[in-house]
Amino acid sequence: MHLSCSLAILHLSCSTLTHALPSLFPKPVSPPHPLPLPVYVVHDFAKGTFVENIALRRNDQILVTLLAPSPDLYQVDPLSIHPPILIHTFAGYTGVLGIVEVDPDVFYVVVGNFSFETADFTPGASSVFEVDIRPFNPWKKAPAAIRKVADFPASTFLNGATLLSRERGEILVADSGAGAVWKLNVRTGATTKIIADDPLLKPKLGSKPTSGINGVHIRNGVLYFTNSDFATLNQIPLNADGSAAGPASTIASGVAGDDFALDAKGKAYVALNGANEVAKVDVPSGKVTVLAGSPQDQVTIAGPASAAFGRTLLDKKSLYIVSDGGLQGYITGNFTVGGRVSRIDLGLNGYYG
């Protein structure tokens, strides 16, 4: 999406959009800037809505996955003009987790079955579906094309996903419960447990839910990943086929992260779920800087779960964050806020593999 009449997708005239932009997209901050950075609300979902993951389309519309109250995929308008649009509900599952784009506007989502009563996933119940948004047009009531790509009966529970090879149609998916990585060819449906024996991927014994390797992203032949149970951000070199080219190493400790985004220089922006914070982690030094939120603030970024950079000239230096409203609410039923989509203006370009 560019500053042209191609923005008709938003049903706005160019002149209307131009007048709206200054307030909708404040001028990105120039470092150094006092911390915490301002957080702008894009959309608030109802209480009890667990917004789990995020991806941006090339027209900059935001896709978000829900872990509760239903297994939904929504499209959210970054300009907050149109209400969220339900793209699909994945019947037979309780939630939607990781999401990754392979071909333009063709995304792949991880689905599974999670119980808040037992605080764990059902082993072997994870699947990956293709969501082809190219035919999707809510104004003409044209749905996205949905198809199941693969089941993973040997998995514990699948979580984050990242692109390995667009040419070969391959993605990597984190198995948080097993502490492993699966490779999926989205064109053939072939699955392979490609990394399985590195200790830095493993969950903590007895944790609920068991969550070792969680968010995953590849840059320059390196797989970066969070381990939620051990509060680390790690890296592991990859061979071209996605197998490990060496052992994993820890970049930063004390980073109780869920998923994250990478900027153009390789720095990681991690959603610190339990701390209600978003932090920048310098790679490779491991220096951690909290950019927004605080453990005492149960509203602004309550339970951040994932992050992604904008993809157009308007917001390529902005970071979008999804949050779940705070995990404690799902245990007690007493919610302070609902899930939320927020934005932080960083002044740095994001990275897309």
Side-chain angles (χ1 to χ4, degrees), residues 19 38 58 82 101 139 167 191-192 276 286 353:
H19 284 90
R58 298 185 181 213
H82 297 289
E101 183 182 35
W139 291 280
E167 293 72 23
T191 64
T192 307
N276 300 330

Side-chain angles (χ1 to χ4, degrees), residues 40-52:
Y40 303 96
V41 177
V42 176
H43 180 75
D44 277 324
F45 285 89
K47 291 180 180 180
T49 305
F50 194 121
V51 189
E52 164 66 11

Side-chain angles (χ1 to χ4, degrees), residues 41 43-51 276 297-304 323-330 333-340 342:
V41 177
H43 180 75
D44 277 324
F45 285 89
K47 291 180 180 180
T49 305
F50 194 121
V51 189
N276 300 330
D297 185 347
Q298 302 293 320
V299 175
T300 304
I301 313 176
S323 48
D324 56 42
L327 289 174
Q328 192 64 27
Y330 297 91
N334 184 21
F335 295 95
T336 303
V337 294
R340 172 176 285 182
S342 307

